[in-house]
């Protein structure tokens, strides 16, 4: 592990070299908001963004991904995407989300399509410079990350500190011009940034300790809140689609008109959509909006934590911003369950 100090010109030149070496997906401004997109020149990069519309997981788990090509009755061929690329400027909470996806896609039956893209990615995290309106990463322990990345950029007064780790980190460092190690004062300023981010990335205050959420949810299956909130839900699925930790997908076949060939692909799906739990024969396991609405909070606070030991909400706040009905705030829901307990036997 090494930490270097880069002035703004060194940063710009380094990003330029990255772009010359391989595809770089970084944060760009789009009207008043920010998106991850392919960078063509260093000047497009905005490390001072608040939050991106979609999380960077879209480069590892694309919205649509071809899995295999087939010829009916003949053969099929797996389709792989493993060209190396760089993700530049990933906020710590989005990086934690990617690490959670790693655990989920590696367990039981490893998902080779996901894993190949993940191995191809060099991820450079950037500490948050500007808090978004709804971020609460400070409440769920994701405001700062200290390991598992390939690079970490932190803004300090007249430039950035770049920490690099592992083989991919060495490659990142090899593209620096006249690298100079960070001194003790600069490292201390980085600690201040981390402390500050833990404190300020709390636009909503979660009053339930994350490790107690599972038990709270087990006691809240029949809580009236689910019906009350779901009455306003449009089943639009926006809260799912902007979430960095959601990973559900649907697998479909698309045959050519000739019927001689086709592709099997997967697309993002969302548990708030009406037909998400529909199975052959037309049965829907979650036919009501309340059942679908409740499921999302159980998924984040109980089911995924049971699998990987971590809360599946990293506090990015995107769902809060995306929900037109104003009902998708996990902090508000969990706090209400805590403050207005509803004991029920069904959960036992
Ligand atoms: S549930 Fe909402 S706040 Fe939590 S990670 Fe998903 S989008 Fe972000
Ligand atoms: S974004 Fe809001 S309205 Fe849309 S599905 Fe989610 S909770 Fe319902």
């Amino acid at each position: 592990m090494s930490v270097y100090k880069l002035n703004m010109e060194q940063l710009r030149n380094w990003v330029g070299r990255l772009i010359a070496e391989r595809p770089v997906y970084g944060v760009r401004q789009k009207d008043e908001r920010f998106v991850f997109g392919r960078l063509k020149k260093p000047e497009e990069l905005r490390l001072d963004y608040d939050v991106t519309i979609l999380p960077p997981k879209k480069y590892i788990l694309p919205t649509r991904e071809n899995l295999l090509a087939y010829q009916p009755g003949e053969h099929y061929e797996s389709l792989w995407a493993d060209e190396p690329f760089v993700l530049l400027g990933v906020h710590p909470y989005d990086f934690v989300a990617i690490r959670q996806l790693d655990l989920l896609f590696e367990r039981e039956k490893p998902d080779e399509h996901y894993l190949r893209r993940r191995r191809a990615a060099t991820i450079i995290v950037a500490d948050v410079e500007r808090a978004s309106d709804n971020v609460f990463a400070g409440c769920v322990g994701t405001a700062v990350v200290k390991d598992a990345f390939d690079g970490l950029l932190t803004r300090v007064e007249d430039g950035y500190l770049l920490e690099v780790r592992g083989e991919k980190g060495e490659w990142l460092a090899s593209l620096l011009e006249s690298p100079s190690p960070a001194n003790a004062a600069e490292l201390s300023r980085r600690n201040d940034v981390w402390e500050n981010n833990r404190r300020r990335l709390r636009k909503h205050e979660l009053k339930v300790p994350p490790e107690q959420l599972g038990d709270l949810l087990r006691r809240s299956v029949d809580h009236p809140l689910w019906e009350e909130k779901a009455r306003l839900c449009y089943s639009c699925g926006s809260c799912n689609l902007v979430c960095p930790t959601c990973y559900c997908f649907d697998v479909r076949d698309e045959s050519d008109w000739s019927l001689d060939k086709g592709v099997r692909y997967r697309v993002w799906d969302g548990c708030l959509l009406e037909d998400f739990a529909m199975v052959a024969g037309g049965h829907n396991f979650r036919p009501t909006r309340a059942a679908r609405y409740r499921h999302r909070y159980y998924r984040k606070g109980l089911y995924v934590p049971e699998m990987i030991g971590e809360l599946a909400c990293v506090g990015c706040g995107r769902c809060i911003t995306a929900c037109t009905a104003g009902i998708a705030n996990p902090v508000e829901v969990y706090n209400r369950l805590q403050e207005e307990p509803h004991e029920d036997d069904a959960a036992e």
Side-chain angles (χ1 to χ4, degrees), residues 27 36 45-49 87-93 95 123-129 143 145 149 151-155 160-161 194 197:
V27 180
F36 270 92
L45 178 66
R46 289 290 302 271
L47 290 173
D48 62 341
Y49 71 101
L87 271 181
L88 176 52
V90 174
H91 275 168
Y93 51 78
F95 183 65
I123 301 185
I124 304 164
V125 174
D127 278 313
V128 177
E129 294 181 30
V145 285
F149 48 74
L152 168 68
L153 283 164
T154 311
R155 184 86 166 99
Y160 280 85
L161 296 191
W194 289 341
N197 278 355

PDB file of all heavy atoms in Angstrom, residues 27 36 45-49 87-93 95 123-129 143 145 149 151-155 160-161 194 197:
ATOM      1  N   VAL A  27     -17.246   9.939 -13.496  1.00  0.00           N
ATOM      2  CA  VAL A  27     -18.439  10.751 -13.251  1.00  0.00           C
ATOM      3  C   VAL A  27     -18.390  12.025 -14.090  1.00  0.00           C
ATOM      4  O   VAL A  27     -17.394  12.742 -14.074  1.00  0.00           O
ATOM      5  CB  VAL A  27     -18.555  11.095 -11.752  1.00  0.00           C
ATOM      6  CG1 VAL A  27     -19.804  11.935 -11.496  1.00  0.00           C
ATOM      7  CG2 VAL A  27     -18.601   9.816 -10.930  1.00  0.00           C
ATOM      8  N   PHE A  36     -22.362   8.249 -14.298  1.00  0.00           N
ATOM      9  CA  PHE A  36     -21.145   7.553 -14.721  1.00  0.00           C
ATOM     10  C   PHE A  36     -21.231   7.352 -16.232  1.00  0.00           C
ATOM     11  O   PHE A  36     -22.272   6.922 -16.750  1.00  0.00           O
ATOM     12  CB  PHE A  36     -21.036   6.182 -14.037  1.00  0.00           C
ATOM     13  CG  PHE A  36     -20.310   6.242 -12.734  1.00  0.00           C
ATOM     14  CD1 PHE A  36     -21.008   6.425 -11.557  1.00  0.00           C
ATOM     15  CD2 PHE A  36     -18.929   6.132 -12.686  1.00  0.00           C
ATOM     16  CE1 PHE A  36     -20.341   6.487 -10.341  1.00  0.00           C
ATOM     17  CE2 PHE A  36     -18.254   6.204 -11.483  1.00  0.00           C
ATOM     18  CZ  PHE A  36     -18.961   6.376 -10.302  1.00  0.00           C
ATOM     19  N   LEU A  45     -14.096  14.740 -16.114  1.00  0.00           N
ATOM     20  CA  LEU A  45     -14.260  14.095 -14.801  1.00  0.00           C
ATOM     21  C   LEU A  45     -14.695  15.092 -13.737  1.00  0.00           C
ATOM     22  O   LEU A  45     -14.119  16.170 -13.609  1.00  0.00           O
ATOM     23  CB  LEU A  45     -12.920  13.457 -14.387  1.00  0.00           C
ATOM     24  CG  LEU A  45     -12.895  12.779 -13.019  1.00  0.00           C
ATOM     25  CD1 LEU A  45     -13.813  11.555 -12.996  1.00  0.00           C
ATOM     26  CD2 LEU A  45     -11.465  12.365 -12.667  1.00  0.00           C
ATOM     27  N   ARG A  46     -15.723  14.726 -12.942  1.00  0.00           N
ATOM     28  CA  ARG A  46     -16.181  15.561 -11.817  1.00  0.00           C
ATOM     29  C   ARG A  46     -16.101  14.745 -10.528  1.00  0.00           C
ATOM     30  O   ARG A  46     -16.986  13.939 -10.238  1.00  0.00           O
ATOM     31  CB  ARG A  46     -17.628  16.006 -12.069  1.00  0.00           C
ATOM     32  CG  ARG A  46     -17.779  17.032 -13.174  1.00  0.00           C
ATOM     33  CD  ARG A  46     -17.208  18.396 -12.797  1.00  0.00           C
ATOM     34  NE  ARG A  46     -17.816  18.954 -11.607  1.00  0.00           N
ATOM     35  CZ  ARG A  46     -18.907  19.709 -11.602  1.00  0.00           C
ATOM     36  NH1 ARG A  46     -19.489  20.030 -12.729  1.00  0.00           N
ATOM     37  NH2 ARG A  46     -19.405  20.168 -10.462  1.00  0.00           N
ATOM     38  N   LEU A  47     -15.017  14.949  -9.798  1.00  0.00           N
ATOM     39  CA  LEU A  47     -14.889  14.227  -8.526  1.00  0.00           C
ATOM     40  C   LEU A  47     -15.635  14.938  -7.403  1.00  0.00           C
ATOM     41  O   LEU A  47     -15.772  14.402  -6.308  1.00  0.00           O
ATOM     42  CB  LEU A  47     -13.408  14.077  -8.160  1.00  0.00           C
ATOM     43  CG  LEU A  47     -12.610  13.119  -9.041  1.00  0.00           C
ATOM     44  CD1 LEU A  47     -11.126  13.169  -8.692  1.00  0.00           C
ATOM     45  CD2 LEU A  47     -13.130  11.693  -8.939  1.00  0.00           C
ATOM     46  N   ASP A  48     -16.139  16.143  -7.687  1.00  0.00           N
ATOM     47  CA  ASP A  48     -16.851  16.902  -6.654  1.00  0.00           C
ATOM     48  C   ASP A  48     -18.365  16.686  -6.735  1.00  0.00           C
ATOM     49  O   ASP A  48     -19.134  17.508  -6.266  1.00  0.00           O
ATOM     50  CB  ASP A  48     -16.531  18.400  -6.784  1.00  0.00           C
ATOM     51  CG  ASP A  48     -16.985  18.948  -8.134  1.00  0.00           C
ATOM     52  OD1 ASP A  48     -17.190  18.150  -9.074  1.00  0.00           O
ATOM     53  OD2 ASP A  48     -17.151  20.174  -8.257  1.00  0.00           O
ATOM     54  N   TYR A  49     -18.783  15.580  -7.336  1.00  0.00           N
ATOM     55  CA  TYR A  49     -20.231  15.323  -7.497  1.00  0.00           C
ATOM     56  C   TYR A  49     -20.865  14.947  -6.157  1.00  0.00           C
ATOM     57  O   TYR A  49     -20.164  14.542  -5.222  1.00  0.00           O
ATOM     58  CB  TYR A  49     -20.446  14.205  -8.521  1.00  0.00           C
ATOM     59  CG  TYR A  49     -20.057  12.809  -8.087  1.00  0.00           C
ATOM     60  CD1 TYR A  49     -21.025  11.897  -7.676  1.00  0.00           C
ATOM     61  CD2 TYR A  49     -18.733  12.377  -8.084  1.00  0.00           C
ATOM     62  CE1 TYR A  49     -20.690  10.606  -7.292  1.00  0.00           C
ATOM     63  CE2 TYR A  49     -18.390  11.098  -7.695  1.00  0.00           C
ATOM     64  CZ  TYR A  49     -19.365  10.217  -7.302  1.00  0.00           C
ATOM     65  OH  TYR A  49     -19.036   8.941  -6.910  1.00  0.00           O
ATOM     66  N   LEU A  87     -13.083   1.978 -13.348  1.00  0.00           N
ATOM     67  CA  LEU A  87     -14.200   2.745 -12.773  1.00  0.00           C
ATOM     68  C   LEU A  87     -13.571   3.818 -11.905  1.00  0.00           C
ATOM     69  O   LEU A  87     -12.896   3.502 -10.920  1.00  0.00           O
ATOM     70  CB  LEU A  87     -15.069   1.839 -11.895  1.00  0.00           C
ATOM     71  CG  LEU A  87     -16.209   1.086 -12.555  1.00  0.00           C
ATOM     72  CD1 LEU A  87     -16.969   0.271 -11.516  1.00  0.00           C
ATOM     73  CD2 LEU A  87     -17.141   2.057 -13.250  1.00  0.00           C
ATOM     74  N   LEU A  88     -13.793   5.067 -12.254  1.00  0.00           N
ATOM     75  CA  LEU A  88     -13.057   6.170 -11.607  1.00  0.00           C
ATOM     76  C   LEU A  88     -13.999   7.094 -10.841  1.00  0.00           C
ATOM     77  O   LEU A  88     -14.927   7.659 -11.418  1.00  0.00           O
ATOM     78  CB  LEU A  88     -12.308   6.954 -12.704  1.00  0.00           C
ATOM     79  CG  LEU A  88     -11.553   8.208 -12.285  1.00  0.00           C
ATOM     80  CD1 LEU A  88     -10.609   7.953 -11.136  1.00  0.00           C
ATOM     81  CD2 LEU A  88     -10.773   8.752 -13.477  1.00  0.00           C
ATOM     82  N   GLY A  89     -13.768   7.190  -9.537  1.00  0.00           N
ATOM     83  CA  GLY A  89     -14.542   8.142  -8.728  1.00  0.00           C
ATOM     84  C   GLY A  89     -15.739   7.520  -8.042  1.00  0.00           C
ATOM     85  O   GLY A  89     -16.731   8.200  -7.768  1.00  0.00           O
ATOM     86  N   VAL A  90     -15.635   6.240  -7.713  1.00  0.00           N
ATOM     87  CA  VAL A  90     -16.738   5.534  -7.041  1.00  0.00           C
ATOM     88  C   VAL A  90     -16.790   5.972  -5.571  1.00  0.00           C
ATOM     89  O   VAL A  90     -15.778   5.885  -4.865  1.00  0.00           O
ATOM     90  CB  VAL A  90     -16.500   4.001  -7.136  1.00  0.00           C
ATOM     91  CG1 VAL A  90     -17.540   3.236  -6.331  1.00  0.00           C
ATOM     92  CG2 VAL A  90     -16.505   3.559  -8.599  1.00  0.00           C
ATOM     93  N   HIS A  91     -17.940   6.439  -5.125  1.00  0.00           N
ATOM     94  CA  HIS A  91     -18.049   6.835  -3.709  1.00  0.00           C
ATOM     95  C   HIS A  91     -17.966   5.605  -2.805  1.00  0.00           C
ATOM     96  O   HIS A  91     -18.371   4.500  -3.218  1.00  0.00           O
ATOM     97  CB  HIS A  91     -19.364   7.588  -3.471  1.00  0.00           C
ATOM     98  CG  HIS A  91     -19.281   9.053  -3.783  1.00  0.00           C
ATOM     99  ND1 HIS A  91     -20.384   9.870  -3.878  1.00  0.00           N
ATOM    100  CD2 HIS A  91     -18.199   9.859  -4.013  1.00  0.00           C
ATOM    101  CE1 HIS A  91     -19.985  11.109  -4.140  1.00  0.00           C
ATOM    102  NE2 HIS A  91     -18.680  11.122  -4.241  1.00  0.00           N
ATOM    103  N   PRO A  92     -17.497   5.782  -1.573  1.00  0.00           N
ATOM    104  CA  PRO A  92     -17.325   4.619  -0.683  1.00  0.00           C
ATOM    105  C   PRO A  92     -18.587   3.765  -0.546  1.00  0.00           C
ATOM    106  O   PRO A  92     -18.517   2.539  -0.591  1.00  0.00           O
ATOM    107  CB  PRO A  92     -16.926   5.253   0.654  1.00  0.00           C
ATOM    108  CG  PRO A  92     -16.183   6.484   0.251  1.00  0.00           C
ATOM    109  CD  PRO A  92     -16.906   7.009  -0.954  1.00  0.00           C
ATOM    110  N   TYR A  93     -19.782   4.393  -0.397  1.00  0.00           N
ATOM    111  CA  TYR A  93     -20.994   3.581  -0.219  1.00  0.00           C
ATOM    112  C   TYR A  93     -21.267   2.719  -1.455  1.00  0.00           C
ATOM    113  O   TYR A  93     -21.702   1.574  -1.343  1.00  0.00           O
ATOM    114  CB  TYR A  93     -22.221   4.458   0.130  1.00  0.00           C
ATOM    115  CG  TYR A  93     -22.440   5.627  -0.801  1.00  0.00           C
ATOM    116  CD1 TYR A  93     -23.005   5.466  -2.057  1.00  0.00           C
ATOM    117  CD2 TYR A  93     -22.054   6.916  -0.419  1.00  0.00           C
ATOM    118  CE1 TYR A  93     -23.187   6.536  -2.913  1.00  0.00           C
ATOM    119  CE2 TYR A  93     -22.232   7.997  -1.261  1.00  0.00           C
ATOM    120  CZ  TYR A  93     -22.803   7.799  -2.514  1.00  0.00           C
ATOM    121  OH  TYR A  93     -22.963   8.861  -3.359  1.00  0.00           O
ATOM    122  N   PHE A  95     -18.956   1.590  -3.430  1.00  0.00           N
ATOM    123  CA  PHE A  95     -17.943   0.533  -3.439  1.00  0.00           C
ATOM    124  C   PHE A  95     -18.334  -0.583  -2.471  1.00  0.00           C
ATOM    125  O   PHE A  95     -18.195  -1.778  -2.792  1.00  0.00           O
ATOM    126  CB  PHE A  95     -16.562   1.102  -3.085  1.00  0.00           C
ATOM    127  CG  PHE A  95     -15.480   0.068  -3.145  1.00  0.00           C
ATOM    128  CD1 PHE A  95     -15.140  -0.522  -4.353  1.00  0.00           C
ATOM    129  CD2 PHE A  95     -14.824  -0.352  -2.002  1.00  0.00           C
ATOM    130  CE1 PHE A  95     -14.159  -1.508  -4.418  1.00  0.00           C
ATOM    131  CE2 PHE A  95     -13.844  -1.337  -2.056  1.00  0.00           C
ATOM    132  CZ  PHE A  95     -13.509  -1.918  -3.263  1.00  0.00           C
ATOM    133  N   ILE A 123     -10.940  -0.502  -9.776  1.00  0.00           N
ATOM    134  CA  ILE A 123     -11.865   0.452  -9.155  1.00  0.00           C
ATOM    135  C   ILE A 123     -11.111   1.481  -8.316  1.00  0.00           C
ATOM    136  O   ILE A 123     -10.367   1.136  -7.397  1.00  0.00           O
ATOM    137  CB  ILE A 123     -12.914  -0.279  -8.292  1.00  0.00           C
ATOM    138  CG1 ILE A 123     -13.709  -1.262  -9.186  1.00  0.00           C
ATOM    139  CG2 ILE A 123     -13.868   0.724  -7.640  1.00  0.00           C
ATOM    140  CD1 ILE A 123     -14.850  -1.965  -8.487  1.00  0.00           C
ATOM    141  N   ILE A 124     -11.332   2.742  -8.682  1.00  0.00           N
ATOM    142  CA  ILE A 124     -10.730   3.856  -7.936  1.00  0.00           C
ATOM    143  C   ILE A 124     -11.855   4.563  -7.179  1.00  0.00           C
ATOM    144  O   ILE A 124     -12.748   5.162  -7.779  1.00  0.00           O
ATOM    145  CB  ILE A 124     -10.027   4.836  -8.887  1.00  0.00           C
ATOM    146  CG1 ILE A 124      -8.980   4.093  -9.730  1.00  0.00           C
ATOM    147  CG2 ILE A 124      -9.381   5.971  -8.086  1.00  0.00           C
ATOM    148  CD1 ILE A 124      -8.496   4.854 -10.931  1.00  0.00           C
ATOM    149  N   VAL A 125     -11.808   4.439  -5.874  1.00  0.00           N
ATOM    150  CA  VAL A 125     -12.808   5.068  -5.010  1.00  0.00           C
ATOM    151  C   VAL A 125     -12.429   6.540  -4.827  1.00  0.00           C
ATOM    152  O   VAL A 125     -11.247   6.887  -4.869  1.00  0.00           O
ATOM    153  CB  VAL A 125     -12.845   4.340  -3.641  1.00  0.00           C
ATOM    154  CG1 VAL A 125     -13.765   5.048  -2.649  1.00  0.00           C
ATOM    155  CG2 VAL A 125     -13.287   2.885  -3.827  1.00  0.00           C
ATOM    156  N   ALA A 126     -13.434   7.396  -4.658  1.00  0.00           N
ATOM    157  CA  ALA A 126     -13.168   8.817  -4.349  1.00  0.00           C
ATOM    158  C   ALA A 126     -13.983   9.185  -3.121  1.00  0.00           C
ATOM    159  O   ALA A 126     -15.206   9.004  -3.105  1.00  0.00           O
ATOM    160  CB  ALA A 126     -13.548   9.708  -5.522  1.00  0.00           C
ATOM    161  N   ASP A 127     -13.309   9.699  -2.103  1.00  0.00           N
ATOM    162  CA  ASP A 127     -14.039  10.138  -0.911  1.00  0.00           C
ATOM    163  C   ASP A 127     -15.015  11.253  -1.271  1.00  0.00           C
ATOM    164  O   ASP A 127     -14.732  12.077  -2.158  1.00  0.00           O
ATOM    165  CB  ASP A 127     -13.051  10.617   0.163  1.00  0.00           C
ATOM    166  CG  ASP A 127     -12.481   9.437   0.948  1.00  0.00           C
ATOM    167  OD1 ASP A 127     -13.273   8.573   1.357  1.00  0.00           O
ATOM    168  OD2 ASP A 127     -11.250   9.380   1.121  1.00  0.00           O
ATOM    169  N   VAL A 128     -16.152  11.256  -0.582  1.00  0.00           N
ATOM    170  CA  VAL A 128     -17.222  12.208  -0.894  1.00  0.00           C
ATOM    171  C   VAL A 128     -16.762  13.637  -0.584  1.00  0.00           C
ATOM    172  O   VAL A 128     -16.267  13.913   0.501  1.00  0.00           O
ATOM    173  CB  VAL A 128     -18.493  11.872  -0.075  1.00  0.00           C
ATOM    174  CG1 VAL A 128     -19.595  12.891  -0.340  1.00  0.00           C
ATOM    175  CG2 VAL A 128     -18.971  10.456  -0.382  1.00  0.00           C
ATOM    176  N   GLU A 129     -16.936  14.513  -1.580  1.00  0.00           N
ATOM    177  CA  GLU A 129     -16.590  15.923  -1.367  1.00  0.00           C
ATOM    178  C   GLU A 129     -17.839  16.741  -1.070  1.00  0.00           C
ATOM    179  O   GLU A 129     -17.782  17.753  -0.385  1.00  0.00           O
ATOM    180  CB  GLU A 129     -15.899  16.482  -2.612  1.00  0.00           C
ATOM    181  CG  GLU A 129     -14.555  15.828  -2.866  1.00  0.00           C
ATOM    182  CD  GLU A 129     -13.851  16.380  -4.087  1.00  0.00           C
ATOM    183  OE1 GLU A 129     -14.040  17.571  -4.418  1.00  0.00           O
ATOM    184  OE2 GLU A 129     -13.108  15.605  -4.730  1.00  0.00           O
ATOM    185  N   ALA A 143     -19.575   5.440   4.973  1.00  0.00           N
ATOM    186  CA  ALA A 143     -19.109   6.774   4.565  1.00  0.00           C
ATOM    187  C   ALA A 143     -17.642   6.743   4.137  1.00  0.00           C
ATOM    188  O   ALA A 143     -17.190   7.593   3.364  1.00  0.00           O
ATOM    189  CB  ALA A 143     -19.295   7.765   5.713  1.00  0.00           C
ATOM    190  N   VAL A 145     -14.213   3.937   3.203  1.00  0.00           N
ATOM    191  CA  VAL A 145     -13.677   2.575   3.052  1.00  0.00           C
ATOM    192  C   VAL A 145     -12.159   2.640   3.162  1.00  0.00           C
ATOM    193  O   VAL A 145     -11.543   3.610   2.705  1.00  0.00           O
ATOM    194  CB  VAL A 145     -14.062   1.894   1.719  1.00  0.00           C
ATOM    195  CG1 VAL A 145     -15.489   1.436   1.732  1.00  0.00           C
ATOM    196  CG2 VAL A 145     -13.781   2.776   0.519  1.00  0.00           C
ATOM    197  N   PHE A 149     -10.093  -1.723  -2.256  1.00  0.00           N
ATOM    198  CA  PHE A 149     -10.107  -0.966  -3.522  1.00  0.00           C
ATOM    199  C   PHE A 149      -8.750  -1.111  -4.208  1.00  0.00           C
ATOM    200  O   PHE A 149      -7.784  -1.590  -3.599  1.00  0.00           O
ATOM    201  CB  PHE A 149     -10.409   0.515  -3.243  1.00  0.00           C
ATOM    202  CG  PHE A 149      -9.576   1.089  -2.129  1.00  0.00           C
ATOM    203  CD1 PHE A 149      -8.223   1.376  -2.311  1.00  0.00           C
ATOM    204  CD2 PHE A 149     -10.134   1.319  -0.874  1.00  0.00           C
ATOM    205  CE1 PHE A 149      -7.451   1.884  -1.273  1.00  0.00           C
ATOM    206  CE2 PHE A 149      -9.366   1.838   0.169  1.00  0.00           C
ATOM    207  CZ  PHE A 149      -8.022   2.114  -0.036  1.00  0.00           C
ATOM    208  N   GLY A 151      -7.611   1.784  -5.953  1.00  0.00           N
ATOM    209  CA  GLY A 151      -7.116   3.139  -5.732  1.00  0.00           C
ATOM    210  C   GLY A 151      -8.128   3.906  -4.892  1.00  0.00           C
ATOM    211  O   GLY A 151      -9.324   3.582  -4.904  1.00  0.00           O
ATOM    212  N   LEU A 152      -7.645   4.896  -4.151  1.00  0.00           N
ATOM    213  CA  LEU A 152      -8.539   5.737  -3.345  1.00  0.00           C
ATOM    214  C   LEU A 152      -8.058   7.176  -3.452  1.00  0.00           C
ATOM    215  O   LEU A 152      -6.903   7.481  -3.140  1.00  0.00           O
ATOM    216  CB  LEU A 152      -8.517   5.301  -1.874  1.00  0.00           C
ATOM    217  CG  LEU A 152      -9.188   6.262  -0.880  1.00  0.00           C
ATOM    218  CD1 LEU A 152     -10.699   6.305  -1.113  1.00  0.00           C
ATOM    219  CD2 LEU A 152      -8.909   5.834   0.558  1.00  0.00           C
ATOM    220  N   LEU A 153      -8.946   8.053  -3.926  1.00  0.00           N
ATOM    221  CA  LEU A 153      -8.609   9.470  -4.070  1.00  0.00           C
ATOM    222  C   LEU A 153      -9.285  10.278  -2.974  1.00  0.00           C
ATOM    223  O   LEU A 153     -10.484  10.095  -2.715  1.00  0.00           O
ATOM    224  CB  LEU A 153      -9.113   9.987  -5.425  1.00  0.00           C
ATOM    225  CG  LEU A 153      -8.288   9.602  -6.655  1.00  0.00           C
ATOM    226  CD1 LEU A 153      -9.098   9.842  -7.925  1.00  0.00           C
ATOM    227  CD2 LEU A 153      -6.973  10.379  -6.710  1.00  0.00           C
ATOM    228  N   THR A 154      -8.534  11.145  -2.342  1.00  0.00           N
ATOM    229  CA  THR A 154      -9.096  12.004  -1.299  1.00  0.00           C
ATOM    230  C   THR A 154      -8.652  13.436  -1.560  1.00  0.00           C
ATOM    231  O   THR A 154      -7.450  13.695  -1.732  1.00  0.00           O
ATOM    232  CB  THR A 154      -8.598  11.586   0.103  1.00  0.00           C
ATOM    233  OG1 THR A 154      -8.771  10.176   0.249  1.00  0.00           O
ATOM    234  CG2 THR A 154      -9.367  12.307   1.206  1.00  0.00           C
ATOM    235  N   ARG A 155      -9.610  14.368  -1.589  1.00  0.00           N
ATOM    236  CA  ARG A 155      -9.295  15.774  -1.841  1.00  0.00           C
ATOM    237  C   ARG A 155      -8.615  16.375  -0.615  1.00  0.00           C
ATOM    238  O   ARG A 155      -9.122  16.235   0.506  1.00  0.00           O
ATOM    239  CB  ARG A 155     -10.599  16.543  -2.096  1.00  0.00           C
ATOM    240  CG  ARG A 155     -10.391  18.002  -2.463  1.00  0.00           C
ATOM    241  CD  ARG A 155     -10.162  18.124  -3.953  1.00  0.00           C
ATOM    242  NE  ARG A 155     -10.279  19.501  -4.403  1.00  0.00           N
ATOM    243  CZ  ARG A 155      -9.258  20.321  -4.629  1.00  0.00           C
ATOM    244  NH1 ARG A 155      -8.015  19.922  -4.442  1.00  0.00           N
ATOM    245  NH2 ARG A 155      -9.477  21.533  -5.078  1.00  0.00           N
ATOM    246  N   TYR A 160      -4.943  16.103  -4.563  1.00  0.00           N
ATOM    247  CA  TYR A 160      -5.544  14.842  -4.104  1.00  0.00           C
ATOM    248  C   TYR A 160      -4.472  13.920  -3.542  1.00  0.00           C
ATOM    249  O   TYR A 160      -3.315  13.966  -3.986  1.00  0.00           O
ATOM    250  CB  TYR A 160      -6.231  14.125  -5.272  1.00  0.00           C
ATOM    251  CG  TYR A 160      -7.599  14.692  -5.593  1.00  0.00           C
ATOM    252  CD1 TYR A 160      -7.727  15.799  -6.426  1.00  0.00           C
ATOM    253  CD2 TYR A 160      -8.751  14.132  -5.051  1.00  0.00           C
ATOM    254  CE1 TYR A 160      -8.974  16.337  -6.709  1.00  0.00           C
ATOM    255  CE2 TYR A 160      -9.998  14.667  -5.326  1.00  0.00           C
ATOM    256  CZ  TYR A 160     -10.108  15.760  -6.150  1.00  0.00           C
ATOM    257  OH  TYR A 160     -11.341  16.286  -6.417  1.00  0.00           O
ATOM    258  N   LEU A 161      -4.871  13.075  -2.597  1.00  0.00           N
ATOM    259  CA  LEU A 161      -4.025  11.955  -2.208  1.00  0.00           C
ATOM    260  C   LEU A 161      -4.537  10.739  -2.954  1.00  0.00           C
ATOM    261  O   LEU A 161      -5.751  10.551  -3.085  1.00  0.00           O
ATOM    262  CB  LEU A 161      -4.090  11.699  -0.702  1.00  0.00           C
ATOM    263  CG  LEU A 161      -3.580  12.794   0.209  1.00  0.00           C
ATOM    264  CD1 LEU A 161      -3.467  12.290   1.639  1.00  0.00           C
ATOM    265  CD2 LEU A 161      -2.218  13.335  -0.262  1.00  0.00           C
ATOM    266  N   TRP A 194     -12.032  11.829   6.557  1.00  0.00           N
ATOM    267  CA  TRP A 194     -12.803  10.627   6.903  1.00  0.00           C
ATOM    268  C   TRP A 194     -13.697  10.876   8.118  1.00  0.00           C
ATOM    269  O   TRP A 194     -14.864  10.510   8.120  1.00  0.00           O
ATOM    270  CB  TRP A 194     -11.843   9.458   7.199  1.00  0.00           C
ATOM    271  CG  TRP A 194     -11.157   8.925   5.974  1.00  0.00           C
ATOM    272  CD1 TRP A 194     -11.548   9.106   4.674  1.00  0.00           C
ATOM    273  CD2 TRP A 194      -9.967   8.123   5.927  1.00  0.00           C
ATOM    274  NE1 TRP A 194     -10.681   8.473   3.825  1.00  0.00           N
ATOM    275  CE2 TRP A 194      -9.698   7.859   4.559  1.00  0.00           C
ATOM    276  CE3 TRP A 194      -9.106   7.613   6.883  1.00  0.00           C
ATOM    277  CZ2 TRP A 194      -8.612   7.093   4.151  1.00  0.00           C
ATOM    278  CZ3 TRP A 194      -8.025   6.846   6.473  1.00  0.00           C
ATOM    279  CH2 TRP A 194      -7.779   6.593   5.124  1.00  0.00           C
ATOM    280  N   ASN A 197     -16.560  13.069   7.130  1.00  0.00           N
ATOM    281  CA  ASN A 197     -17.569  12.389   6.310  1.00  0.00           C
ATOM    282  C   ASN A 197     -18.419  11.440   7.149  1.00  0.00           C
ATOM    283  O   ASN A 197     -19.618  11.307   6.914  1.00  0.00           O
ATOM    284  CB  ASN A 197     -16.902  11.642   5.146  1.00  0.00           C
ATOM    285  CG  ASN A 197     -16.614  12.585   3.987  1.00  0.00           C
ATOM    286  OD1 ASN A 197     -16.999  13.756   4.031  1.00  0.00           O
ATOM    287  ND2 ASN A 197     -15.950  12.091   2.962  1.00  0.00           N
TER     288      ASN A 197
END
